[in-house]
Amino acid sequence: MSTNKEIIQTNDAPQAIGPYSQAVKVGGLLFTSGQLGIDPSTGLFPETVEGQTKQSLNNVKAIVEAAGGSMNQVVKSTVFLKDMNDFQVVNEIYSGYFAEPYPARSAVQVARLPKDALVEIEVIVQL
């Protein structure tokens, strides 16, 4: 069985730093790669977890919109944190990007993120 997959790419989010795509659309679903809080115009990280979380979510939003979707169509997200003590701050910022009914979500602390980022976020979207 062949699956038609469409690669989604936008210059409004950082380019992939490895052998992967920003997102893949299969049928009515969009799967984004994890988005670090890198500013796509400068290639730099904000210094704070607040700044990185906002930029990560802006990057996710840009990819979702490039696929023709909106953040209201996100059905699942995963938040990777360098430090679980940042959970509340990340949660407050995260809540500003989604409306009820909220998507399902996992949040995990990891030993290390690419480029020593503080946060990385990925989503699944029903288009």
Side-chain angles (χ1 to χ4, degrees), residues 8-66:
I8 304 299
Q9 191 280 327
T10 178
N11 290 328
D12 293 330
Q15 299 308 300
I17 57 175
Y20 59 89
S21 301
Q22 287 177 329
V24 177
K25 181 179 172 184
V26 179
L29 294 176
L30 177 73
F31 301 86
T32 71
S33 293
Q35 294 301 302
L36 302 176
I38 298 172
D39 182 326
S41 63
T42 66
L44 301 175
F45 282 104
E47 291 186 22
T48 66
V49 70
E50 293 90 346
Q52 287 190 30
T53 301
K54 288 176 188 174
Q55 187 62 59
S56 175
L57 286 162
N58 287 338
N59 295 340
V60 166
K61 184 175 186 267
I63 294 168
V64 169
E65 289 176 351

Side-chain angles (χ1 to χ4, degrees), residues 57-78:
L57 286 162
N58 287 338
N59 295 340
V60 166
K61 184 175 186 267
I63 294 168
V64 169
E65 289 176 351
S70 74
M71 295 296 273
N72 289 336
Q73 293 170 286
V74 173
V75 295
K76 172 73 167 84
S77 68
T78 305

Side-chain angles (χ1 to χ4, degrees), residues 73-85:
Q73 293 170 286
V74 173
V75 295
K76 172 73 167 84
S77 68
T78 305
V79 177
F80 302 95
L81 299 166
K82 179 179 178 181
D83 185 346
M84 193 55 80
N85 289 318

